[in-house]
Amino acid sequence: MTQVSTTPTSEPRHQGLVCRRCGCRHFLTVYTRPRHDGIVRRKRCRHCGQAITTREKII
Ligand SMILES: [Zn+2]
């Protein structure tokens, strides 16, 4: 019997996202853009307006 462990790929990984400037974790997603190798999300800090870009890879 073979046991296969499935890893959920649709699970959001925003837990570790912290603003470098003010340290808050509240972000507004400006836009989401699908790419050939994943998804690029543009986010903006709710408090100080610091813009960050996150990349999510689709396997
Ligand atoms: Zn901030």
Side-chain angles (χ1 to χ4, degrees):
M1 200 183 276
T2 313
Q3 197 166 16
V4 181
S5 60
T6 53
T7 310
T9 51
S10 59
E11 195 167 344
R13 287 190 276 165
H14 305 302
Q15 279 85 8
L17 208 60
V18 179
C19 177
R20 283 187 201 171
R21 197 185 281 178
C22 71
C24 86
R25 295 179 197 181
H26 296 262
F27 289 92
L28 299 171
T29 304
V30 182
Y31 71 73
T32 306
R33 183 162 298 189
R35 299 188 107 191
H36 63 279
D37 61 339
I39 299 172
V40 173
R41 284 186 220 273
R42 187 76 172 171
K43 298 188 179 203
R44 195 171 284 273
C45 177
R46 216 176 69 175
H47 286 244
C48 72
Q50 171 80 15
I52 58 163
T53 306
T54 61
R55 253 168 244 152
E56 291 177 26
K57 222 168 193 180
I58 297 175
I59 305 169

